Amino acid sequence: MGTQRVLRISVCDEDKFRHNEFIGETRIPLKKLKPNQTKNFNICLEKQLPIDKTEDKSLEERGRILISLKYSSQKQGLLVGIIRCAHLAAMDANGYSDPYVKTYLKPDEDKKSKHKTAVKKKTLNPEFNEEFCYEIKHGDLAKKTLEVTVWDYDIGKSNDFIGGVVLGINAKGERLKHWFDCLKNKDKKIERWHTLTNELPGAVLSD
């Protein structure tokens, strides 16, 4: 498996007062490297790279999201932090989106698990820094999945779905590992970046 991995390098402009601006990114397939040999690359950055669709051919990448998970013994619940998103897909004619994030803990019979962040205006790199608490026994978490979806807010018409990610015991790769690490490490906040995709198997994508 290791030879198929790709190193993704993103360059951002750090700005104390505003969002960090995404400048460009590049990817280096690790199979181009030989053990114990240094190799220099001189590569142009691209604004958005075509996605390596090895995992699921039908999915299209729509940006990234930084999520924190922590099971709190004190609150007897799962704390879900929606920290920020990076290079979201633009949904509006002005080349931006007005993003907000929704979270659900499923299965959710009585539809009480929905949480929503505030809407951030005209940005593809929104900072939310919001945390939601789901009261749940630690032992029940293994049966649940966390669905996180990003939407573009539109006044007067239905909001556009930008992308989403599902974390849980039936997820794969990083999405499974993040969930598992959270279950394993009570009271420890674990932050991870996840890829947002245009489809969520089994999810109902209406706002």
Side-chain angles (χ1 to χ4, degrees), residues 110-127:
D110 45 11
K111 296 276 185 286
K112 285 211 177 93
S113 81
K114 177 161 121 178
H115 285 295
K116 257 185 192 183
T117 66
V119 174
K120 300 292 173 184
K121 290 284 181 202
K122 214 175 141 190
T123 175
L124 300 180
N125 299 286
E127 301 213 13

Side-chain angles (χ1 to χ4, degrees), residues 97-116:
S97 291
D98 297 322
Y100 67 94
V101 179
K102 280 195 310 190
T103 65
Y104 283 100
L105 198 60
K106 297 194 165 177
D108 174 26
E109 279 74 42
D110 45 11
K111 296 276 185 286
K112 285 211 177 93
S113 81
K114 177 161 121 178
H115 285 295
K116 257 185 192 183

Side-chain angles (χ1 to χ4, degrees), residues 31-204:
K31 60 174 182 260
K32 289 190 172 176
L33 303 178
K34 292 196 174 73
N36 304 319
Q37 283 185 23
T38 303
K39 188 164 179 185
N40 296 326
F41 292 87
N42 185 353
I43 311 174
C44 292
L45 292 174
E46 295 185 50
K47 195 67 185 160
Q48 281 282 203
L49 280 178
I51 296 318
D52 183 5
K53 296 223 177 64
T54 45
E55 207 175 314
D56 186 337
K57 298 279 185 282
S58 67
L59 296 182
E60 175 191 319
E61 189 172 321
R62 293 290 183 83
R64 319 256 300 155
I65 186 166
L66 183 59
I67 298 171
S68 70
L69 297 177
K70 173 174 135 178
Y71 186 82
S72 165
S73 316
Q74 187 197 352
K75 293 189 173 167
Q76 289 289 298
L78 175 68
L79 301 178
V80 177
I82 301 299
I83 302 166
R84 59 196 178 99
C85 297
H87 31 103
L88 293 175
M91 291 290 165
D92 296 338
N94 63 12
Y96 292 100
S97 291
D98 297 322
Y100 67 94
V101 179
K102 280 195 310 190
T103 65
Y104 283 100
L105 198 60
K106 297 194 165 177
D108 174 26
E109 279 74 42
D110 45 11
K111 296 276 185 286
K112 285 211 177 93
S113 81
K114 177 161 121 178
H115 285 295
K116 257 185 192 183
T117 66
V119 174
K120 300 292 173 184
K121 290 284 181 202
K122 214 175 141 190
T123 175
L124 300 180
N125 299 286
E127 301 213 13
F128 295 104
N129 294 314
E130 293 191 41
E131 193 170 70
F132 306 122
C133 182
Y134 289 105
E135 282 181 28
I136 184 171
K137 290 195 198 79
H138 184 262
D140 291 342
L141 266 183
K143 304 185 205 93
K144 297 283 190 180
T145 58
L146 179 72
E147 191 178 286
V148 179
T149 51
V150 185
W151 299 77
D152 171 38
Y153 176 74
D154 281 322
I155 297 167
K157 54 186 173 87
S158 64
N159 299 324
D160 296 322
F161 173 66
I162 297 175
V165 64
V166 176
L167 308 180
I169 219 82
N170 298 319
K172 292 192 175 76
E174 278 301 306
R175 305 190 310 279
L176 169 64
K177 191 173 180 325
H178 194 181
W179 192 252
F180 191 69
D181 288 348
C182 165
L183 296 186
K184 224 171 37 185
N185 299 285
K186 258 191 205 176
D187 296 309
K188 186 177 171 197
K189 183 186 271 194
I190 299 170
E191 284 186 13
R192 297 270 162 81
W193 281 98
H194 293 282
T195 299
L196 296 164
T197 52
N198 63 327
E199 280 174 54
L200 289 186
V204 180

Side-chain angles (χ1 to χ4, degrees), residues 13-25:
D13 174 26
E14 189 168 323
D15 189 323
K16 280 197 175 64
F17 303 105
R18 295 183 307 126
H19 300 310
N20 293 341
E21 291 293 320
F22 172 70
I23 295 170
E25 62 176 12

